[in-house]
Amino acid sequence: LTAALAVSLTIAVQELLGVVHPPGGAAAMCYVIVLPLRASGIWYIFFTSLLGACVLVVVAMLINNLSRARAYPQTSWTQHAPREDDTSSLVKAYLRRFMGAGVP
């Protein structure tokens, strides 16, 4: 009963916030079912979900920024803002980022 309640409450809150992600329900279910995870308390959230998400973003930034043709994230604090008067080069510069991703 507790596993079903944990998953349903997690999905309900995610739906309410508009950020449904099924592995979040699985993480809640694992916390309820696997007894050693309960002993870790709040640290379970930090070491599985938050740390995993941070590692994924860092790896994505490293890999996607190796090429000058690609940029991740699309807007970065290190990029200079393009001039608004030249819209054709703005579109070309934007589309050029996707050339390494297999987008023509």
Side-chain angles (χ1 to χ4, degrees):
L1 182 64
T2 56
L5 187 62
V7 172
S8 61
L9 286 176
T10 301
I11 299 296
V13 169
Q14 290 175 355
E15 187 69 38
L16 192 68
L17 296 174
V19 290
V20 176
H21 186 62
M29 185 179 68
C30 288
Y31 183 78
V32 172
I33 292 175
V34 181
L35 293 177
L37 292 180
R38 288 189 194 177
S40 62
I42 192 76
W43 295 106
Y44 170 72
I45 297 169
F46 291 118
F47 286 125
T48 57
S49 303
L50 184 63
L51 184 63
C54 290
V55 168
L56 286 174
V57 169
V58 167
V59 168
M61 289 177 74
L62 289 174
I63 290 175
N64 284 302
N65 289 321
L66 289 175
S67 170
R68 293 185 79 69
R70 295 173 62 175
Y72 179 80
Q74 291 296 316
T75 57
S76 176
W77 58 88
T78 60
Q79 295 174 348
H80 298 290
R83 295 185 305 212
E84 282 118 20
D85 57 345
D86 191 10
T87 58
S88 66
S89 68
L90 177 67
V91 172
K92 287 180 183 177
Y94 178 75
L95 293 176
R96 200 173 309 130
R97 291 182 179 177
F98 299 104
M99 293 304 288
V103 177

